[in-house]
Amino acid sequence: MRRSGNGQTLVAQLRHPPGGRDARTMLLTQFLDRTGTGVWGAASVLYFTVVSRLDARQVGLLLGVAAVAGIAGSPLAGWLAERLPVRGLLIGCHLLRLGTMSLLLVCDGFAALLPVVAVTCLGERAAKTLEMLFATRVAGERRTTYQALSRSAANAGYALGAGIAALGLAVGTRDAYRALILCDALSFALAAALVRRTREPRAQERTVPEAGDAGDAAGRPRTGPRTGPDGVPSPWRDRGYLLFVLLDIPMNLDDSVLGVGLPLWLVDHTRAPHAFVPAFLLLNTVLVVALQLRVSARAEGPRRAAGAVAVYGVTMLACCAVPATATGGGALPASLAMLGAAALVTLAELMRSVSSWELAVRLAPPQARASYLGVAGMSQSVQKSVGPLLLTGAVMTAGPAGWLALGTAVAGLGLVQRRACLRRLAAPSPAAPSTPAAPADMSNRLAASAS
């Protein structure tokens, strides 16, 4: 049994995660959610082609518009979480997707499918942001460990979902495709029921920063440079945080490299058997489940997380160099090289999944963390929209030189992101907006001044 950095097995930590019962319930919820998502992700393109009778251009446009709609899900969820209970919002996201997936059974034609798929994607991105906020509040200082457990549970769910989809696709009938949609919808219903069993996580509004949080000399928490009309820091006016989010977009390109770049390169530019394409996902799932806890332990804390960003860039450079040199050999060398690239991009993913989340939390002011995390979640959504286009339109067209250019650019931007994060962590924060002091705080201040 795999052990984490503190010696506990993965199963033991899943049974007793940071955050207790509510965290354990949420991990099970994520497993069920990702199982349904894995079913739909593996079957969606074929469903639109075989059942809905869409051509390739319509399918591409449908998925592209849906990905763009998903970009709005993260900031919308963060904005709502500042005003409404996170638990209720997350239940609403699951029920929304339950409704839209059910509508797919009766929708026919591109015009009818477009809004349904777009709303589904928006709900999915909003749910992921709310899950991150839930974990931040419940797991507290041990959120890095929770994130590692969450990644392991999610990848196990994706793998199970892909296996279920493979059974339905093997049958290949219209009823089999519809059964897969019902399976996905059922996962959302179960997820909503489980979230309902949790307690609303308390928003940790603190005046003392967490261990490792950067603050000024007086110990005040970090805040953005500008505040909104209500005096609360606004992520949209915080240039430093927006820079972090912007640089985090290329730090998520491992997703498109694994799902789009490597499979297409194997098929079009190597002699490796096409049957190796599913092996990429299998290898990714196994490595994430086996190594996520260990990698997370090495990236715990804000400065280690910032260092992991630079390591991510170097690892992506190594990953991109492999397909650039895997074009001239025979079937066996090409297969081994492409599997090596898949392993490297998975290692990059392991570091990114922890460092991006940890830095998004650490760099945000505690009193506005929900809205900040909502904006941070946009980086993954934007990458999902532009990443495949970048790989197919630029990298593949340029050939091996395109891969090397991509790897070099990501490595360079990783160093820029690391420097920017360390600078923000080290810089003194501006004073928080003045608010009326509580009676107890006022008396303490008067006593201190008198002494």
Side-chain angles (χ1 to χ4, degrees), residues 51-437:
V51 178
S52 301
R53 304 291 184 181
L54 302 182
D55 58 35
R57 181 186 62 82
Q58 290 175 316
V59 173
L61 181 60
L62 180 69
L63 297 179
V65 172
V68 173
I71 296 175
S74 294
L76 178 61
W79 183 82
L80 290 174
E82 295 282 4
R83 296 157 175 81
L84 299 172
V86 172
R87 173 175 167 270
L89 290 172
L90 187 52
I91 292 174
C93 286
H94 291 316
L95 294 179
L96 174 65
R97 290 188 289 165
L98 169 63
T100 55
M101 291 305 298
S102 301
L103 283 175
L104 286 178
L105 297 173
V106 297
C107 288
D108 190 22
F110 178 83
L113 289 170
L114 182 60
V116 174
V117 178
V119 173
T120 302
C121 192
L122 185 145
E124 178 186 352
R125 297 307 309 170
K128 289 184 176 181
T129 297
L130 293 169
E131 288 171 351
M132 184 168 69
L133 181 58
F134 186 100
T136 300
R137 294 179 177 179
V138 169
E141 288 292 314
R142 298 189 61 201
R143 57 177 168 264
T144 302
T145 300
Y146 180 93
Q147 169 70 349
L149 296 173
S150 172
R151 292 273 303 154
S152 298
N155 274 267
Y158 284 132
L160 176 59
I164 296 173
L167 296 176
L169 296 178
V171 176
T173 64
R174 295 173 68 93
D175 288 339
Y177 281 105
R178 292 190 175 100
L180 293 178
I181 289 181
L182 290 175
C183 182
D184 190 13
L186 176 61
S187 73
F188 298 141
L190 294 175
L194 284 174
V195 174
R196 191 172 183 274
R197 295 179 58 186
T198 64
R199 295 165 293 184
E200 173 66 21
R202 292 185 300 107
Q204 299 176 356
E205 308 291 344
R206 296 178 303 275
T207 56
V208 178
E210 298 177 10
D213 275 349
D216 61 13
R220 288 187 293 266
R222 176 174 302 279
T223 61
R226 297 183 182 179
T227 61
D230 55 358
V232 177
S234 169
W236 299 107
R237 302 186 178 193
D238 190 336
R239 294 182 179 179
Y241 200 83
L242 290 177
L243 175 62
F244 161 76
V245 175
L246 179 63
L247 291 173
D248 202 43
I249 295 174
M251 299 299 107
N252 281 270
L253 277 172
D254 57 273
D255 178 71
S256 293
V257 169
L258 179 67
V260 177
L262 295 184
L264 289 180
W265 191 260
L266 181 146
V267 171
D268 295 336
H269 295 84
T270 75
R271 297 180 181 177
H274 295 183
F276 268 82
V277 171
F280 294 159
L281 178 60
L282 176 61
L283 179 64
N284 175 265
T285 301
V286 171
L287 289 178
V288 168
V289 172
L291 300 178
Q292 184 69 78
L293 277 171
R294 295 188 177 187
V295 173
S296 300
R298 296 179 180 275
E300 194 167 6
R303 298 192 177 279
R304 286 186 176 182
V309 175
V311 178
Y312 171 91
V314 174
T315 307
M316 283 294 292
L317 175 58
C319 166
C320 292
V322 173
T325 58
T327 57
L332 180 58
S335 300
L336 295 176
M338 296 305 291
L339 287 177
L344 286 170
V345 78
T346 300
L347 293 177
E349 176 192 346
L350 291 172
M351 288 178 283
R352 182 265 302 166
S353 63
V354 176
S355 62
S356 291
W357 190 45
E358 178 69 8
L359 290 171
V361 174
R362 293 289 190 177
L363 299 178
Q367 65 268 39
R369 187 163 281 168
S371 58
Y372 270 69
L373 292 181
V375 173
M378 292 177 62
S379 59
Q380 294 185 23
S381 302
V382 172
Q383 186 282 140
K384 287 182 178 294
S385 299
V386 303
L389 296 176
L390 172 65
L391 285 163
T392 57
V395 174
M396 298 292 174
T397 303
W403 280 106
L404 294 176
L406 176 66
T408 302
V410 173
L413 291 173
L415 294 175
V416 175
Q417 177 77 302
R418 173 183 176 274
R419 179 177 298 179
C421 290
L422 290 176
R423 185 184 302 116
R424 182 176 171 98
L425 290 166
S429 301
S434 59
T435 55

